[in-house]
Amino acid sequence: MHITSDPGIWCQAICTLAVYTYLYKDNPIFRIAENVFLGLATTYWFVYSFFNYIKPAIVEWIGTNGQYHYVLAIILGLLIFFRYVPSLSWIARYPMSFWVGYGTGYTLAFTPAVWLNQITASFVALNSLQNILIFVGILCTLVYFFFTLAKENPVVGGIAEVGKWYIMIALGSAFGNTVLYRWNLFLGRANMLITQWLGYTG
Amino acid sequence: MERLMKIDRRLLYLISVALVAVTIFMPLGLPVKVSPLAVQTYDAIQNLPDNSVVLIAPMYDPGAAGELNPMLKAMLYQCMERGYKIILGNTNWTLGVAIAHDMITPIAAEFNYVYGTDYIEFGSKPGGSVWMQSAQTDLAGAAIVDFNNDPIGQFPLIQAVPRLTQEYIAAVLVLDCGTPGAVEWLQIITQGTSIKLIVGEIQMSVPDSMTYVQSGQYNGMIAGSRGGAEYEQLVGRPGAALKSQDTMSVIALMVALFIVLGNIGYVTRKR
């Protein structure tokens, strides 16, 4: 083992350990690490956006290329800051409504194509156990969500019950994967501490 | 049983940490069988036409690096061994490109890849789906500058790929851990085109993403850390994902044991 002298790795290791102190209980070391992270992330995002997007757009597009219509977009964006002027805060609704309008249009334009393909893909040939399970699962789960059908009817109720089991199995699978993912996160940090910080190479 | 239900959670954390440490220091070498999905993913990349241009989007941050870094590394090796030209960058995941930069630089040097001609990094651009739409019509205009803040339009690779359309790129390889992610690349860039979409997915999102694989919208998926280990074997570059499988297996057993014990305690107390 050879402990690193790289200050960057030391910084990572100290911050990682500081965050994990929360597992014992909430404490000032964890709070410091949390606030340092938030501050760094916010600043990094601001500086990165400014130098990689805002500044080149203004200098290149408007300044050099003379695409002055982008000034309108900048003005629209700046209107959002009227939120800080209570008497004129209504003006901030214009960029928001523009954004909501774009979002709605985007969803209507791009999302159905993705869903429709998935719906089409659910029409499978019943020639294997997997396909039969998919077919039964889709049918029963849909019945479960038909709240207008009387579940007291033994046929409908039975099919809905099977649908409920499918949902529970799916949720269980999602939960299991989430737990494993969290462990993977920890493993990533543990690997960093052991291999990069403590220098274990074995 | 009462005592079982009152175990201090910190003791469980301690046991977990000890198990992780033990498996790192003393690997068990458990076998990792390659699944058909991993083979499908490997083949989808391997069978792209020679001299293809692929876009690799590391859409993640350090939080997901433990799982996605090994996948990215193996993808880079496979693409460079096949001689594909690589456009590397993302939208909205600023730290993902920094991680990827540290990874691609030594691998590119190993394969004598020339920056700007064989591969290029356009960095991370704000905008998400909006940016993707812009890049679909004018990549240089949407990216403006590269990772090093140099004007990107001057590089031969970007001049050869003016737009992110099927005429210019063969595949989009997304390392995915949230929004915007693989679904946005599907919606904007690959849906309805011949561009292959291959996804490296975090374990948590595997059940959701499996529907896209089943529908053929994803041409391949590396499913979590286990998938990463299988993919590393196929690429012939065993790495961090394969090493982590011992720990993940032990952890899975431990969690299952805790759940069983917890339920025994719960049922016993109920009676």
Side-chain angles (χ1 to χ4, degrees):
Chain A
M1 270 208 244
H2 174 72
I3 297 178
T4 182
S5 56
D6 184 340
I9 303 288
W10 268 90
C11 194
Q12 277 189 54
I14 291 168
C15 288
T16 302
L17 292 173
V19 168
Y20 281 133
T21 59
Y22 186 79
L23 292 176
Y24 183 69
K25 66 177 184 181
D26 199 2
N27 64 75
I29 296 171
F30 169 75
R31 294 264 169 207
I32 290 169
E34 189 183 32
N35 287 308
V36 165
F37 174 74
L38 282 175
L40 276 176
T42 309
T43 314
Y44 186 89
W45 176 249
F46 175 80
V47 171
Y48 202 93
S49 299
F50 184 79
F51 285 103
N52 286 272
Y53 200 71
I54 299 171
K55 191 182 162 199
I58 294 169
V59 174
E60 290 282 321
W61 295 355
I62 300 170
T64 310
N65 300 343
Q67 294 168 292
Y68 295 111
H69 57 278
Y70 283 111
V71 174
L72 292 173
I74 291 172
I75 293 170
L76 190 67
L78 288 172
L79 292 181
I80 199 90
F81 290 105
F82 275 101
R83 287 172 68 95
Y84 297 113
V85 185
S87 59
L88 295 172
S89 62
W90 56 272
I91 296 175
R93 289 182 196 150
Y94 282 97
M96 284 310 292
S97 50
F98 181 84
W99 189 243
V100 170
Y102 172 83
T104 309
Y106 171 85
T107 306
L108 287 173
F110 291 104
T111 314
V114 173
W115 291 342
L116 284 173
N117 269 343
Q118 297 213 355
I119 293 167
T120 312
S122 64
F123 288 88
V124 288
L126 301 178
N127 54 8
S128 68
L129 180 63
Q130 181 180 325
N131 286 359
I132 292 166
L133 285 173
I134 289 172
F135 174 75
V136 172
I138 290 170
L139 209 66
C140 296
T141 309
L142 284 174
V143 169
Y144 177 81
F145 284 106
F146 273 119
F147 297 115
T148 47
L149 291 175
K151 298 287 193 305
E152 290 76 23
N153 181 313
V155 178
V156 177
I159 294 173
E161 188 65 20
V162 176
K164 192 171 86 180
W165 275 92
Y166 264 91
I167 294 166
M168 286 166 68
I169 291 167
L171 290 176
S173 162
F175 178 70
N177 276 291
T178 304
V179 171
L180 278 183
Y181 173 64
R182 302 296 176 206
W183 275 106
N184 261 316
L185 293 185
F186 173 66
L187 191 55
R189 292 291 84 201
N191 263 322
M192 190 282 293
L193 289 171
I194 292 170
T195 57
Q196 293 183 36
W197 184 46
L198 298 178
Y200 177 74
T201 51
Chain B
M1 281 300 157
E2 275 300 313
R3 280 175 62 192
L4 195 66
M5 295 303 287
K6 285 179 183 168
I7 290 177
D8 191 335
R9 63 189 164 83
R10 285 170 290 200
L11 182 66
L12 301 184
Y13 295 146
L14 208 61
I15 295 170
S16 311
V17 170
L19 278 176
V20 168
V22 165
T23 48
I24 288 176
F25 287 118
M26 288 183 285
L28 304 170
L30 297 171
V32 176
K33 196 181 162 198
V34 176
S35 67
L37 180 58
V39 174
Q40 177 191 329
T41 309
Y42 175 81
D43 287 346
I45 299 174
Q46 193 71 11
N47 296 334
L48 293 173
D50 292 342
N51 302 316
S52 288
V53 178
V54 297
L55 187 141
I56 300 182
M59 310 284 281
Y60 65 98
D61 57 17
E67 243 181 346
L68 298 182
N69 270 0
M71 295 181 197
L72 175 60
K73 194 173 184 178
M75 271 181 181
L76 287 170
Y77 270 115
Q78 188 183 5
C79 289
M80 289 193 192
E81 274 167 2
R82 282 288 285 116
Y84 301 146
K85 298 192 185 305
I86 296 169
I87 298 175
L88 182 78
N90 72 29
T91 169
N92 279 8
W93 295 89
T94 52
L95 295 176
V97 293
I99 295 169
H101 172 75
D102 289 345
M103 200 171 286
I104 196 172
T105 307
I107 301 175
E110 198 178 315
F111 285 87
N112 294 321
Y113 262 48
V114 178
Y115 185 77
T117 305
D118 298 318
Y119 81 104
I120 194 158
E121 297 172 67
F122 65 78
S124 180
K125 305 298 171 188
S129 309
V130 184
W131 183 85
M132 291 177 197
Q133 280 179 286
S134 304
Q136 199 174 35
T137 51
D138 178 11
L139 177 57
I144 305 175
V145 291
D146 72 349
F147 184 80
N148 304 310
N149 264 339
D150 294 321
I152 202 164
Q154 64 175 317
F155 294 105
L157 184 51
I158 294 294
Q159 287 162 5
V161 184
R163 289 180 287 281
L164 292 184
T165 55
Q166 61 185 2
E167 291 81 21
Y168 301 103
I169 56 169
V172 175
L173 280 55
V174 184
L175 286 307
D176 180 49
C177 84
T179 306
V183 173
E184 281 69 27
W185 285 103
L186 168 69
Q187 287 174 339
I188 308 291
I189 302 293
T190 66
Q191 178 84 28
T193 72
S194 61
I195 303 171
K196 307 277 184 210
L197 179 58
I198 292 130
V199 180
E201 192 62 271
I202 53 170
Q203 191 81 43
M204 189 169 75
S205 303
V206 168
D208 284 345
S209 294
M210 201 54 91
T211 55
Y212 293 96
V213 178
Q214 191 242 331
S215 66
Q217 290 165 298
Y218 290 177
N219 300 89
M221 180 171 76
I222 305 171
S225 121
R226 167 77 188 202
E230 295 168 6
Y231 179 61
E232 279 180 349
Q233 290 185 90
L234 289 167
V235 175
R237 304 268 178 179
L242 196 59
K243 268 187 186 170
S244 70
Q245 290 317 293
D246 282 346
T247 313
M248 292 311 295
S249 304
V250 171
I251 289 296
L253 272 175
M254 183 199 70
V255 172
L257 183 70
F258 285 163
I259 290 172
V260 170
L261 285 176
N263 276 282
I264 289 171
Y266 174 75
V267 171
T268 315
R269 195 168 62 171
K270 222 175 158 186
R271 282 177 184 168

